[in-house]
Amino acid sequence: MNFKKLTRLAAIVISLLAVVFWATIAFSSEIDGGMITPMIYVAFLVLIIAIVLALGYTFKNLASKKGDLKKTFISVGAFLGIFLVSFLLADSTPVKVESGEVSSTTSRLVSTGLNAFYILALVAIGLMFFTGYNRLKK
């Protein structure tokens, strides 16, 4: 059995499970029909399968093209470098909120995400100006 047939069979089985769970919920006299939890498990299963397949095909294609693999590692390294710089520049001051206090670790992670966003936004804006300038120059 080839991979295409196996994938199609898995999609059919998961679809049938989803239809059965939906029908149980829709035609039940209870509010959730007792089937919300199994439906969530099916959703997680489909999500995990999609992630594994996407990563599998990505790594398969990267392994077959050596030039693309080098470019990918450079891009991922630059992205991780931006997050490292963002983490080093992040503020870890605890913040008081209405329901208590946000820990210094959470505050640092939020600050890291914001710093990374600002850096990536500046890079994107800079690249837009650079490409626009090059087009005008020609």
Side-chain angles (χ1 to χ4, degrees):
M1 183 181 288
N2 63 14
F3 189 69
K4 186 176 180 180
K5 288 182 181 178
L6 183 65
T7 306
R8 184 175 290 163
L9 180 64
I12 290 171
V13 168
I14 291 171
S15 299
L16 289 175
L17 277 173
V19 167
V20 168
F21 291 152
W22 173 81
T24 306
I25 293 169
F27 298 117
S28 174
S29 60
E30 297 177 26
I31 291 181
D32 70 351
M35 295 299 291
I36 295 294
T37 303
M39 190 76 115
I40 291 172
Y41 287 139
V42 170
F44 280 131
L45 176 68
V46 170
L47 177 66
I48 290 169
I49 290 171
I51 289 171
V52 167
L53 288 175
L55 289 175
Y57 281 120
T58 300
F59 289 128
K60 179 183 160 258
N61 288 336
L62 284 176
S64 65
K65 301 174 186 170
K66 300 299 180 198
D68 289 348
L69 184 63
K70 182 180 176 183
K71 290 178 186 177
T72 302
F73 281 140
I74 290 171
S75 299
V76 169
F79 197 69
L80 290 176
I82 288 172
F83 273 97
L84 179 65
V85 168
S86 299
F87 184 77
L88 294 174
L89 295 174
D91 183 27
S92 63
T93 306
V95 177
K96 293 186 181 197
V97 292
E98 189 176 305
S99 61
E101 185 175 272
V102 176
S103 69
S104 61
T105 304
T106 303
S107 178
R108 186 171 193 128
L109 290 177
V110 169
S111 183
T112 298
L114 289 171
N115 289 341
F117 170 76
Y118 298 145
I119 292 170
L120 291 171
L122 286 173
V123 168
I125 291 168
L127 287 173
M128 287 188 329
F129 281 125
F130 178 72
T131 56
Y133 173 75
N134 281 343
R135 285 185 186 169
L136 288 176
K137 196 167 73 169
K138 290 181 183 181

